[in-house]
Amino acid sequence: MDVSGWDFSWLDGRASEQRPSWGYQRLLAERLAEASAALDIQTGGGELLAGVSVFPATMVATESWPPNVRLATARLHPRGVVVVADTSEPLLPFGDEAFDLVSSRHPATVWWTEIARVLRPSGMYFAQHVGPLSNVELYEFFLGSQPPGSQARDRNVEAGAARAAGLAVIEMRVERLRVEFFDIGAVVYFLRKVIWTVPDFSVDRYRGQLRDLHRRIEDDGSFVSHSSRVLVEARKPA
Ligand SMILES: C[S@@+](CC[C@H](N)C(=O)[O-])C[C@H]1O[C@@H](n2cnc3c(N)ncnc32)[C@H](O)[C@@H]1O
């Protein structure tokens, strides 16, 4: 089962996820059309950027996971977007004030000080982050009830970190979205692809819970969970 890329079409008909109301790709495309130099951080397999029709004169994307570096390069280089293979941690391999727009969808970690460093004065960070308690029903089914734990995805914590890096927060809007799994194969695929949901997941390790969940889906018709997404806009002061 190939889980590279960031395209969930394998799940069509087997699972569904409601999309945020704001339409991130369209909003990003509008901003890219106005930018002169832009960076997309953790671009994945390049699926999202490839759907944008107009790029700024300088357009780069970073990616650190080798299978996705390969996919993103193949997809984006023909469009004139340079894919830089980096590490998933600082430093971003760019000079200070290199970009007037920095974007990222669902970054695994957000390095606010690095984002602020590579933005020009008046430059914008525009992103969609995974929000708090995303798919809590799904991971607690496997892991049991979890302690409140890290608040890193809390919008107030994120806003505080953005401000501490010198950015002015313009938008931090959260939506909870319905996710529905119609068969156990779809759950396995999702957990193998979105590896941080149940960090030590393997079919062997969780065979018992998978069997229980399979029965539950057969009885109820589906398993419902809720993801959360945050629309983020932050500006570097002029
Ligand atoms: C959640 S992905 C989002 C990718 C992209 N921005 C998008 O929205 O389509 C964020 C980062 O996780 C990385 N990633 C995804 N699956 C991974 C895996 N199995 N191991 C390591 N990194 C992974 C991606 O390559 C990417 O850099």
Side-chain angles (χ1 to χ4, degrees), residues 117-208:
R117 181 183 67 78
V118 300
L119 275 174
R120 292 178 190 157
S122 300
M124 185 73 90
Y125 177 61
F126 181 71
Q128 179 173 290
H129 292 178
V130 174
L133 297 174
S134 197
N135 277 312
V136 59
E137 300 93 333
L138 182 62
Y139 64 71
E140 289 201 339
F141 187 91
F142 289 91
L143 300 172
S145 173
Q146 295 293 296
S150 161
Q151 296 298 300
R153 300 290 188 179
D154 181 281
R155 82 169 130 179
N156 296 320
V157 174
E158 288 222 309
R163 286 192 200 101
L167 301 176
V169 176
I170 293 160
E171 179 89 89
M172 278 274 173
R173 190 167 142 206
V174 182
E175 282 186 4
R176 283 195 80 72
L177 305 154
R178 182 182 170 91
V179 179
E180 194 165 6
F181 296 94
F182 299 104
D183 71 64
I184 199 65
V187 174
V188 170
Y189 179 80
F190 183 90
L191 293 176
R192 289 203 50 220
K193 198 166 169 83
V194 189
I195 52 167
W196 32 83
T197 311
V198 177
D200 63 348
F201 180 78
S202 74
V203 170
D204 275 345
R205 185 169 289 130
Y206 287 97
R207 200 170 285 279

Side-chain angles (χ1 to χ4, degrees), residues 13-72:
R14 303 180 66 164
S16 63
E17 179 171 15
Q18 196 187 348
R19 293 300 182 104
S21 63
W22 46 76
Y24 176 73
Q25 190 177 40
R26 180 182 55 83
L27 295 178
L28 176 63
E30 286 170 10
R31 284 155 181 76
L32 284 171
E34 306 276 300
S36 61
L39 163 67
D40 189 55
I41 297 173
Q42 295 186 28
T43 205
E47 296 86 357
L48 176 83
L49 269 194
V52 169
S53 50
V54 180
F55 292 118
T58 300
M59 180 79 230
V60 294
T62 59
E63 175 54 39
S64 58
W65 191 40
N68 278 352
V69 172
R70 224 173 4 256
L71 285 175

